[in-house]
Amino acid sequence: MGTFTATPAEIDKKWILIDAEGVVLGRLASIIATLLRGKHKVTYTPHMDMGDNVIVVNADKVQLTGNKREKPNYWHTGYPGGLKSRTTGEILDGAHPERAVMQAVKRMLPRNRLSRKQMTNLRVYAGTEHPHDAQMPEVLDVKSLNKKNTRS
């Protein structure tokens, strides 16, 4: 019995719709990262893009625990004195709240070329509307997954 390695012809990609309303950001990001990598599949092969296409709606209604809304996020413009910061709460309340979800998922993936390819399979929308109805995405109830996995 040899080790199974999937070929591109054997990869079956599905479309999954996730409603992020009321879900904790870190737990949501870890579930999305697993789906993007394809680790939930029996035929998972680490060096292939096995993951599904994930659509996240209501990204502006995601929850944060503790004082994480006041945590500053830093970046540098590349110019002298160009250190900038914005709190996570400002990002979620601003014009592009979907960037908080994108950044959380990106940081849960490995830093390599394959993860950059897998990030192209993620679509995040601030509201409830999305243009992917033609792909007939399966709805994944993340709230019930979190209740099963949390210890009481």
Side-chain angles (χ1 to χ4, degrees):
M1 187 84 193
T3 303
F4 175 77
T5 302
T7 61
E10 297 170 338
I11 296 174
D12 180 33
K13 288 182 168 273
K14 294 188 282 185
W15 286 78
I16 299 174
L17 177 67
I18 297 176
D19 187 6
E21 185 174 0
V23 181
V24 177
L25 178 61
R27 294 176 191 193
L28 175 70
S30 65
I31 291 168
I32 294 171
T34 302
L35 293 171
L36 288 175
R37 291 194 70 196
K39 292 190 86 171
H40 62 290
K41 297 182 179 181
V42 178
T43 59
Y44 171 68
T45 306
H47 65 278
M48 300 291 293
D49 184 13
M50 303 281 304
D52 295 327
N53 293 296
V54 179
I55 305 164
V56 180
V57 294
N58 290 326
D60 54 344
K61 296 182 177 106
V62 76
Q63 299 294 315
L64 295 170
T65 59
N67 296 325
K68 294 189 187 100
R69 286 190 75 85
E70 288 80 37
K71 179 186 164 287
N73 294 310
Y74 296 102
W75 71 95
H76 200 282
T77 63
Y79 291 98
L83 184 65
K84 305 286 183 184
S85 69
R86 189 175 295 144
T87 65
T88 308
E90 290 173 350
I91 293 170
L92 285 172
D93 298 334
H96 302 286
E98 60 272 2
R99 290 181 183 168
V101 176
M102 294 282 284
Q103 196 63 251
V105 173
K106 181 179 178 183
R107 290 175 178 168
M108 290 203 178
L109 291 173
R111 279 98 177 142
N112 56 28
R113 276 179 276 171
L114 182 58
S115 69
R116 288 189 288 276
K117 168 73 174 85
Q118 290 166 343
M119 279 297 290
T120 62
N121 296 329
L122 175 64
R123 284 109 176 145
V124 183
Y125 300 99
T128 58
E129 308 255 336
H130 65 86
H132 305 288
D133 288 328
Q135 282 77 24
M136 294 180 289
E138 299 175 11
V139 178
L140 179 67
D141 188 18
V142 180
K143 292 178 186 176
S144 66
L145 287 175
N146 282 334
K147 289 178 185 174
K148 290 178 189 174
N149 295 336
T150 54
R151 288 183 244 153
S152 298

